Structures are given as structure tokens and as C-alpha cells.
Amino acid sequence: MGKENHNSLFNSIAPFYDLFFNRQRKRFAVVIKGAKEELDLSSYETILDVGCGTGALCSVLHETGLSVTGIDSAEKMLAAAMKKPENQGVHFIQANVLETLPFDDKCFDISIASYVAHGLKQSERKRMYAEMGRITKHQVVIYDYNKNRSFPTTVVEWLEKSDYLHFIKNAELEMKGCVSELKACFSEVKVIDVDTRAAWYICTPA
């Protein structure tokens, strides 16, 4: 899917997507609390949320005491995010992780992308991993589906023409094998299941 078509799609679904803001917030809060023993986000200071949508995850991250920046390429998603009182204090920028982001190397302690990776092509995921690794000091978290398939999700993702099936079969190997400019993107990849069908792929930038 081209950049313009991608933005058009997410701009068009922004009002519908926004209906799930409170439900998303509750789920994100549960996941972050459950994963705390493996990765305590509150022990860091700055975080970038890649593909932040209407800002549900941003708001929860901000409540943990983090300084949060959210990026998305769809302006209507960002407009909805900025209207939320829960997002006061969050910095939002329109940007595309598949391009060079407007941030210096290693300027964020942590970066996270929630349910972004599976919707990209494999070559695009590599660019995302490399760019997130570039701007992150400590940990890159790819929050996405694990190998536990569900029939409804399979159907929906097939209709959306995502790379869901390939992603869940190869996610960890892709991240471990990511190479950019002749260097590995990550020195270590750890996978923890945070829900029945979701995992945090915790990647240490090389």
C-alpha cells in the first residue's frame, strides 16, 4: 500500500477507531502492569510511540510518569489524539517511521510500536526496526500478535491484505536478522507473551 493510500485509509477510519479509546486504554494499562517484571517502563524517562493513532497508549504511558512523544502519519488520528484531555502533556508529531524521523540518534530511552508491524510488508518492517533502533537508547518494543492465531483475526487481516500470517511465523527471526547499513539492528531480541494472542518483542538496539 502506498503512502498516500495508507494515510487515506487511516484518516478515513479515525472517527471509528476513536470509539475504542477507553477500551484500548484499559487494555494497555493491564498489559504494562503485567509486563513490569520483564520490562518496567516507569524506570525510564522518555518514550516514543510509533503509529500512535488516537493516543490511547500515549495517555497510559504518560500516566506512568514518562515523557511521551507520539507519531503517526495520519493527521486525523493525531487531531483526535490531541483533543483528548488524557493526552495533555503528550507531544504529537506527524511523521512516518518508514522515512527518516526528525529525531537525533539515541534521543529516546524507549520506543514502542503497537500493532504496526504486522500491517507492513517485510521490507517495510526492516526499515521500521532500523529507524526505531537508531533513535532509541535502551529498548525497542514491538507490541504485536504472537503465534497463537485466531480465525476472526486471520479473516480480518486477510481482507485488509496485511502481512499477518508471515509476520507471526517469522517475527522473532526477522528482528534478530535485521541488518541496516551492514550492521545488525538489534543485539538481542526477547519475546514475552503479554496476552493470549499478543507479545512484546523486546529488542536491544545494537
Side-chain angles (χ1 to χ4, degrees), residues 13-200:
I13 67 172
F16 174 76
Y17 194 81
D18 194 33
L19 296 175
F20 297 94
F21 181 82
N22 290 327
R23 179 186 292 183
Q24 288 178 321
R25 272 177 47 84
K26 290 178 182 177
R27 188 66 226 151
F28 287 140
V30 169
V31 166
I32 289 171
K33 182 178 180 180
K36 190 171 183 177
E37 287 190 9
E38 297 286 350
L39 181 62
D40 184 0
L41 297 181
S42 66
S43 65
Y44 298 96
E45 295 183 0
T46 59
I47 191 165
L48 176 70
D49 182 6
V50 173
C52 65
T54 55
L57 179 55
C58 286
S59 68
V60 177
L61 294 169
H62 185 62
E63 287 175 356
T64 69
L66 285 157
S67 174
V68 183
T69 300
I71 64 167
D72 205 289
S73 59
E75 62 270 21
K76 289 187 179 180
M77 288 285 192
L78 292 175
M82 287 186 282
K83 290 178 181 178
K84 298 292 184 184
E86 296 89 345
N87 281 325
Q88 288 186 3
V90 176
H91 186 45
F92 291 103
I93 298 174
Q94 186 175 4
N96 188 340
V97 73
L98 302 183
E99 302 170 356
T100 301
L101 294 174
F103 307 118
D104 293 335
D105 293 357
K106 310 302 180 188
C107 66
F108 293 97
D109 292 333
I110 298 274
S111 62
I112 187 168
S114 173
Y115 291 96
V116 175
H118 76 275
L120 302 175
K121 297 176 182 178
Q122 186 176 9
S123 60
E124 293 174 328
R125 287 197 293 272
K126 176 182 174 181
R127 291 204 296 274
M128 182 179 80
Y129 302 151
E131 187 63 4
M132 290 178 72
R134 179 186 71 80
I135 54 91
T136 306
K137 292 179 187 175
H138 300 295
Q139 302 293 340
V140 170
V141 180
I142 306 300
Y143 176 11
D144 217 300
Y145 293 112
N146 59 22
K147 293 182 179 181
N148 298 323
R149 288 175 55 186
S150 74
F151 180 72
T153 300
T154 301
V155 172
V156 170
E157 296 298 336
W158 178 78
L159 291 172
E160 291 183 354
K161 299 181 180 180
S162 78
D163 201 29
Y164 165 71
L165 291 178
H166 186 273
F167 172 78
I168 62 174
K169 290 179 181 177
N170 301 282
E172 185 177 359
L173 289 175
E174 273 189 7
M175 295 172 205
K176 287 181 175 178
C178 177
V179 175
S180 177
E181 296 182 353
L182 303 180
K183 296 181 181 179
C185 300
F186 307 121
S187 61
E188 183 182 2
V189 177
K190 182 178 182 180
V191 184
I192 61 168
D193 288 328
V194 294
D195 205 341
T196 304
R197 294 186 175 86
W200 276 12

